[in-house]
Amino acid sequence: GNSVTQMEGPVTLSEEAFLTINCTYTATGYPSLFWYVQYPGEGLQLLLKATKADDKGSNKGFEATYRKETTSFHLEKGSVQVSDSAVYFCALRGGTSYGKLTFGQGTILTVHP
Amino acid sequence: GAVVSQHPSRVICKSGTSVKIECRSLDFQATTMFWYRQFPKKSLMLMATSNEGSKATYEQGVEKDKFLINHASLTLSTLTVTSAHPEDSSFYICSARETGTESYTFGSGTRLTVV
């Protein structure tokens, strides 16, 4: 079956630091990959996505590149802000999941001023 | 953009009672809706997939008689937690897939506390 593994958190950074949250996946075929963000007490919001190998998804300064050779979709941001503090989920759809989203365990990010 | 309204955002109920959570797509039709449960500091666990006009498909280990799902229209799905117990306390999130697309929109979640 499909699975997604994210780096263990929590991650604590100072404002303007560089962010990387690792994500690797296992799936058959050619899944679509996503990053979702969840702010405290809220549901999930789509941050970015990539639907095929070598695609780069980007939004709000965040980027992630679909690497089929390493089955990875790492999230990066060059300069984080306090407002980026949230939980980030890597997810995939496709392969054997028949349209369902499979989520990683989530990574808590805290950014200090 | 697409919006999914989920109500209530918070609910406290007594053990043994039932609670209904609504998930409504406001500006699009959703043939398929998903219900997730999120435990503290854990990822989302898919509970069931509901398709408009048909029975929901439950994931392994989810009690279908306890978590009743109804998807009677293209814009509304409901999750009813029956005979709630404290261990049912959790954060429940719905997601709606716009008909004919691969676009998923999440509700803002419902914090259920059973006392």
Side-chain angles (χ1 to χ4, degrees):
Chain A
N2 297 335
S3 68
V4 177
T5 302
Q6 286 179 239
M7 67 183 287
E8 290 285 337
V11 174
T12 303
L13 296 172
S14 297
E15 205 164 24
E16 298 184 1
F18 184 85
L19 168 71
T20 299
I21 301 177
N22 290 339
C23 171
T24 57
Y25 67 90
T26 301
T28 58
Y30 301 92
S32 295
L33 302 174
F34 306 83
W35 276 101
Y36 284 87
V37 58
Q38 183 182 31
Y39 297 101
E42 299 183 10
L44 274 67
Q45 301 174 25
L46 178 64
L47 181 60
L48 53 84
K49 67 178 181 181
T51 57
K52 61 182 187 295
D54 299 325
D55 266 2
K56 177 186 285 187
S58 61
N59 185 26
K60 299 180 181 179
F62 291 90
E63 294 182 340
T65 301
Y66 188 146
R67 301 285 188 200
K68 189 166 178 62
E69 63 275 15
T70 54
T71 61
S72 65
F73 193 54
H74 305 322
L75 181 68
E76 296 182 337
K77 186 173 185 180
S79 177
V80 293
Q81 305 299 313
V82 172
S83 57
D84 293 327
S85 299
V87 183
Y88 292 82
F89 292 94
C90 185
L92 72 80
R93 185 185 68 242
T96 58
S97 65
Y98 302 107
K100 303 174 194 175
L101 285 167
T102 301
F103 288 89
Q105 66 269 40
T107 301
I108 299 172
L109 170 66
T110 303
V111 180
H112 293 296
Chain B
V3 176
V4 169
S5 174
Q6 185 174 343
H7 290 284
S9 58
R10 295 177 183 273
V11 58
I12 300 173
C13 71
K14 293 183 178 179
S15 288
T17 61
S18 295
V19 174
K20 180 184 285 187
I21 302 170
E22 289 191 352
C23 181
R24 195 180 296 270
S25 57
L26 297 186
D27 49 3
F28 65 97
Q29 293 184 334
T31 306
T32 304
M33 291 189 177
F34 304 87
W35 287 95
Y36 295 86
R37 181 173 179 177
Q38 185 178 29
F39 295 94
K41 299 184 180 180
K42 297 287 186 181
S43 187
L44 283 77
M45 180 191 78
L46 179 65
M47 299 173 66
T49 303
S50 73
N51 290 297
E52 184 266 338
S54 62
K55 290 183 178 180
T57 302
Y58 290 81
E59 297 298 302
Q60 192 172 9
V62 178
E63 299 176 61
K64 61 181 181 182
D65 293 332
K66 180 167 188 61
F67 298 99
L68 300 179
I69 291 173
N70 183 278
H71 192 161
S73 78
L74 286 171
T75 59
L76 176 65
S77 177
T78 60
L79 167 67
T80 301
V81 182
T82 63
S83 187
H85 287 95
E87 56 265 32
D88 298 326
S89 299
S90 194
F91 194 61
Y92 293 87
I93 304 176
C94 69
S95 173
R97 181 168 68 193
E98 184 171 359
T99 303
T101 76
E102 289 300 318
S103 174
Y104 295 74
T105 303
F106 284 80
S108 54
T110 297
R111 171 72 60 193
L112 170 64
T113 304
V114 184
V115 299

XYZ file of all heavy atoms in Angstrom, chain A residues 6 34 36 38 41-46 49 87 89-90 93 98-106 108, chain B residues 10 34 36 38 41-44 46 49 57 59 91 93 95 97 102-109 111:
415
model
N 7.433 11.453 7.187
C 7.976 12.790 7.360
C 9.019 12.788 8.460
O 8.989 11.931 9.351
C 6.888 13.769 7.805
C 5.921 14.160 6.743
C 4.867 15.103 7.266
O 3.694 14.794 7.191
N 5.256 16.260 7.779
N 1.548 16.218 -2.273
C 0.990 17.443 -1.719
C 1.684 17.804 -0.406
O 2.169 16.939 0.317
C -0.513 17.267 -1.409
C -1.339 16.790 -2.555
C -1.418 15.436 -2.866
C -2.049 17.692 -3.332
C -2.179 14.992 -3.926
C -2.822 17.253 -4.400
C -2.884 15.907 -4.693
N 0.267 20.025 2.892
C -0.824 20.733 3.528
C -0.305 21.401 4.792
O 0.618 20.913 5.441
C -1.961 19.786 3.895
C -2.815 19.354 2.737
C -2.467 18.249 1.961
C -3.983 20.036 2.403
C -3.250 17.844 0.893
C -4.775 19.647 1.342
C -4.397 18.552 0.592
O -5.179 18.155 -0.468
N -1.631 23.143 8.563
C -2.731 23.238 9.524
C -2.350 24.215 10.619
O -1.411 23.968 11.392
C -3.048 21.871 10.121
C -4.230 21.874 11.073
C -4.502 20.505 11.681
O -3.596 19.712 11.883
N -5.766 20.225 11.967
N -6.111 24.817 15.650
C -7.567 24.790 15.732
C -8.290 24.829 14.406
O -9.519 24.964 14.369
N -7.557 24.709 13.322
C -8.177 24.801 12.000
C -8.007 23.514 11.218
O -7.274 22.604 11.613
C -7.567 25.966 11.214
C -7.778 27.317 11.876
C -7.225 28.443 11.014
O -6.859 28.198 9.838
O -7.161 29.581 11.523
N -8.705 23.442 10.093
C -8.540 22.312 9.191
C -7.296 22.480 8.342
O -6.488 23.370 8.566
N -7.167 21.627 7.364
C -5.980 21.651 6.511
C -6.173 22.553 5.300
O -7.256 22.605 4.723
C -5.658 20.240 6.013
C -4.814 19.373 6.937
C -5.573 19.036 8.194
C -4.378 18.108 6.206
N -5.102 23.207 4.920
C -5.114 24.016 3.710
C -4.030 23.493 2.771
O -2.922 23.203 3.210
C -4.816 25.483 4.032
C -5.781 26.135 5.005
C -5.330 27.530 5.373
O -4.609 28.191 4.621
N -5.746 27.994 6.532
N -4.361 23.396 1.503
C -3.366 22.976 0.532
C -2.307 24.059 0.405
O -2.617 25.224 0.149
C -4.023 22.721 -0.825
C -3.081 22.324 -1.955
C -2.422 20.986 -1.650
C -3.840 22.256 -3.279
N 1.468 21.542 -4.518
C 1.352 20.180 -5.015
C 2.217 19.986 -6.256
O 2.644 20.957 -6.888
C -0.092 19.834 -5.346
C -0.660 20.613 -6.524
C -2.088 20.178 -6.810
C -2.650 20.931 -8.006
N -4.058 20.556 -8.296
N 1.410 23.148 11.668
C 1.746 21.741 11.432
C 1.702 21.502 9.926
O 0.755 21.913 9.258
C 0.767 20.784 12.141
C 1.203 19.339 11.929
C 0.682 21.105 13.620
N 1.855 18.803 6.747
C 1.609 17.409 6.389
C 1.983 17.176 4.936
O 1.542 17.900 4.047
C 0.127 17.051 6.550
C -0.363 17.025 7.968
C -0.949 18.150 8.523
C -0.250 15.880 8.729
C -1.412 18.131 9.835
C -0.713 15.849 10.037
C -1.292 16.979 10.589
N 2.758 16.149 4.724
C 3.033 15.667 3.376
C 1.993 14.592 3.049
O 1.590 13.816 3.936
C 4.445 15.077 3.338
S 5.015 14.556 1.713
N -1.523 11.050 -3.319
C -2.746 10.459 -3.846
C -2.380 9.708 -5.100
O -1.627 10.185 -5.935
C -3.786 11.528 -4.174
C -5.124 10.954 -4.604
C -6.098 12.024 -5.040
N -5.675 12.647 -6.273
C -5.383 13.936 -6.373
N -5.451 14.715 -5.318
N -5.039 14.439 -7.527
N -6.694 4.766 -4.885
C -7.974 5.018 -5.550
C -8.565 6.360 -5.162
O -9.746 6.456 -4.832
C -8.973 3.902 -5.228
C -8.468 2.546 -5.624
C -8.062 1.635 -4.665
C -8.355 2.187 -6.963
C -7.576 0.393 -5.037
C -7.860 0.950 -7.339
C -7.478 0.054 -6.359
O -7.000 -1.168 -6.709
N -7.762 7.395 -5.194
C -8.267 8.733 -4.959
C -8.155 9.194 -3.524
O -8.313 10.371 -3.249
N -7.890 8.317 -2.598
C -7.776 8.740 -1.204
C -6.414 9.394 -0.981
O -5.434 9.062 -1.623
C -7.871 7.536 -0.263
C -9.116 6.721 -0.405
C -8.994 5.485 0.473
C -10.047 4.470 0.118
N -9.852 3.220 0.877
N -6.374 10.315 -0.042
C -5.124 10.932 0.349
C -4.494 10.130 1.489
O -5.175 9.765 2.439
C -5.355 12.363 0.817
C -5.621 13.407 -0.271
C -6.133 14.699 0.353
C -4.355 13.677 -1.065
N -3.201 9.877 1.376
C -2.446 9.248 2.456
C -1.523 10.299 3.041
O -0.728 10.907 2.312
C -1.635 8.061 1.927
O -2.516 7.101 1.344
C -0.853 7.398 3.061
N -1.614 10.513 4.347
C -0.863 11.570 4.994
C 0.337 11.036 5.762
O 0.311 9.924 6.304
C -1.753 12.325 5.992
C -2.779 13.206 5.344
C -4.030 12.708 5.015
C -2.495 14.535 5.059
C -4.973 13.516 4.412
C -3.439 15.344 4.450
C -4.677 14.827 4.133
N 1.365 11.864 5.827
C 2.442 11.622 6.757
C 1.981 12.005 8.155
O 0.859 12.476 8.352
N 2.882 11.838 9.116
C 2.477 12.031 10.508
C 2.437 13.491 10.933
O 1.995 13.808 12.032
C 3.402 11.244 11.460
C 4.830 11.750 11.487
C 5.707 11.050 10.468
O 5.294 10.783 9.349
N 6.936 10.760 10.859
N 2.878 14.379 10.073
C 2.847 15.801 10.404
C 4.112 16.246 11.116
O 4.703 15.497 11.898
N 5.474 19.566 13.358
C 5.145 20.838 14.001
C 6.316 21.798 13.811
O 7.463 21.482 14.145
C 4.890 20.633 15.509
C 3.712 19.682 15.720
C 4.629 21.971 16.193
C 3.521 19.270 17.175
N -16.871 23.237 17.686
C -16.584 22.586 18.970
C -17.883 22.060 19.546
O -18.921 22.704 19.423
C -15.986 23.576 19.977
C -14.651 24.115 19.623
C -14.197 25.142 20.659
N -12.923 25.743 20.288
C -11.743 25.241 20.595
N -11.686 24.126 21.302
N -10.636 25.836 20.225
N -14.830 12.899 2.376
C -14.016 12.040 3.230
C -14.099 12.535 4.668
O -14.119 13.735 4.918
C -12.546 12.072 2.784
C -12.335 11.698 1.344
C -12.407 12.650 0.344
C -12.044 10.386 0.991
C -12.211 12.310 -0.989
C -11.836 10.031 -0.339
C -11.925 11.002 -1.322
N -12.129 12.313 8.337
C -10.879 11.969 9.000
C -11.006 12.208 10.502
O -11.778 13.042 10.961
C -9.731 12.841 8.484
C -9.374 12.657 7.034
C -10.042 13.363 6.038
C -8.348 11.805 6.662
C -9.709 13.212 4.710
C -7.998 11.650 5.322
C -8.685 12.356 4.367
O -8.343 12.205 3.053
N -8.365 12.993 13.772
C -6.997 13.381 14.086
C -6.792 13.320 15.584
O -7.475 14.001 16.346
C -6.701 14.788 13.579
C -5.266 15.219 13.755
C -5.003 16.605 13.201
O -5.890 17.448 13.168
N -3.776 16.842 12.770
N -1.328 15.467 18.187
C 0.039 15.326 17.697
C 0.202 14.126 16.772
O 1.299 13.589 16.638
C 1.014 15.252 18.868
C 0.983 16.501 19.735
C 2.015 16.446 20.838
C 1.948 17.712 21.681
N 2.936 17.698 22.778
N -0.868 13.733 16.139
C -0.811 12.611 15.208
C -1.364 13.033 13.861
O -1.948 14.096 13.715
C -1.653 11.437 15.747
C -1.171 10.865 17.047
C 0.080 10.059 16.872
C 0.468 9.380 18.178
N 1.716 8.601 18.044
N -1.178 12.179 12.912
C -1.660 12.502 11.574
C -3.151 12.238 11.456
O -3.810 11.840 12.411
C -0.891 11.669 10.547
O -1.234 12.092 9.249
N -3.660 12.467 10.278
C -5.075 12.247 10.020
C -5.297 10.789 9.657
O -4.591 10.227 8.832
C -5.549 13.114 8.859
C -5.771 14.582 9.166
C -4.466 15.319 9.241
C -6.663 15.204 8.120
N -7.967 8.366 7.961
C -9.185 8.318 7.170
C -10.152 7.338 7.809
O -9.796 6.183 8.063
C -8.876 7.900 5.735
C -10.075 7.790 4.798
C -10.727 9.152 4.590
C -9.654 7.205 3.455
N -15.114 7.012 3.379
C -15.351 7.748 2.143
C -16.835 7.664 1.830
O -17.406 6.568 1.816
C -14.550 7.134 0.983
O -13.169 7.119 1.320
C -14.762 7.917 -0.299
N -18.060 3.977 2.486
C -17.062 2.920 2.571
C -16.160 3.216 3.752
O -15.479 4.245 3.776
C -16.220 2.857 1.283
O -17.079 2.641 0.172
C -15.195 1.733 1.380
N -13.065 2.516 6.492
C -11.729 1.945 6.582
C -11.717 0.826 7.632
O -12.558 0.785 8.539
C -10.706 3.011 6.941
C -10.569 4.098 5.892
C -10.098 3.572 4.557
O -9.000 2.958 4.495
O -10.837 3.755 3.554
N -10.485 15.281 17.160
C -10.705 16.330 16.176
C -11.115 15.638 14.885
O -10.363 14.812 14.365
C -9.414 17.143 15.995
C -9.567 18.443 15.259
C -10.394 19.435 15.755
C -8.868 18.688 14.094
C -10.531 20.656 15.086
C -8.993 19.905 13.421
C -9.821 20.891 13.927
N -12.291 15.917 10.909
C -12.166 16.817 9.754
C -12.794 16.167 8.527
O -12.566 14.978 8.271
C -10.696 17.146 9.444
C -9.999 17.745 10.662
C -10.580 18.092 8.261
C -8.519 17.991 10.425
N -13.442 16.397 4.245
C -12.841 16.889 3.016
C -13.789 16.575 1.869
O -14.387 15.496 1.844
C -11.483 16.214 2.783
O -10.959 16.548 1.516
N -14.346 16.462 -2.352
C -13.721 16.479 -3.676
C -14.738 17.015 -4.677
O -15.833 16.453 -4.830
C -13.264 15.088 -4.085
C -12.583 15.060 -5.453
C -11.884 13.764 -5.707
N -12.817 12.655 -5.854
C -12.449 11.376 -5.836
N -11.186 11.062 -5.649
N -13.341 10.428 -5.992
N -9.904 16.760 -9.385
C -9.079 16.172 -8.338
C -8.739 17.242 -7.320
O -7.662 17.255 -6.729
C -7.812 15.557 -8.934
C -8.079 14.295 -9.735
C -8.718 13.205 -8.886
O -8.288 13.017 -7.734
O -9.662 12.548 -9.373
N -9.683 18.140 -7.103
C -9.496 19.225 -6.145
C -10.179 18.868 -4.832
O -11.375 18.574 -4.792
C -10.095 20.513 -6.719
O -10.045 21.541 -5.764
N -9.405 18.889 -3.751
C -9.905 18.539 -2.427
C -9.900 19.775 -1.538
O -8.906 20.498 -1.475
C -9.008 17.488 -1.763
C -8.984 16.159 -2.459
C -8.297 15.995 -3.652
C -9.633 15.055 -1.921
C -8.267 14.771 -4.295
C -9.604 13.829 -2.555
C -8.916 13.695 -3.739
O -8.885 12.481 -4.364
N -11.001 20.004 -0.850
C -11.081 21.121 0.083
C -11.463 20.582 1.454
O -12.403 19.788 1.560
C -12.125 22.148 -0.386
O -11.787 22.587 -1.707
C -12.140 23.352 0.538
N -10.741 21.045 2.481
C -10.979 20.563 3.826
C -11.858 21.524 4.608
O -11.783 22.749 4.447
C -9.653 20.382 4.578
C -8.900 19.152 4.142
C -8.146 19.159 2.976
C -8.947 17.995 4.899
C -7.456 18.029 2.570
C -8.256 16.864 4.505
C -7.516 16.875 3.335
N -12.671 20.959 5.487
C -13.397 21.750 6.453
C -12.446 22.190 7.561
O -11.294 21.752 7.628
N -12.947 23.043 8.430
C -12.098 23.595 9.490
C -12.032 22.701 10.716
O -11.319 22.995 11.666
C -12.586 24.987 9.890
O -13.954 24.926 10.231
N -12.772 21.592 10.696
C -12.659 20.630 11.775
C -13.652 20.841 12.897
O -14.188 21.943 13.095
N -13.962 19.899 17.045
C -13.357 19.354 18.259
C -14.468 18.747 19.106
O -15.309 19.466 19.631
C -12.648 20.462 19.041
C -12.153 20.061 20.430
C -10.977 19.145 20.368
N -9.844 19.752 19.678
C -8.781 19.099 19.261
N -8.691 17.784 19.451
N -7.812 19.722 18.649
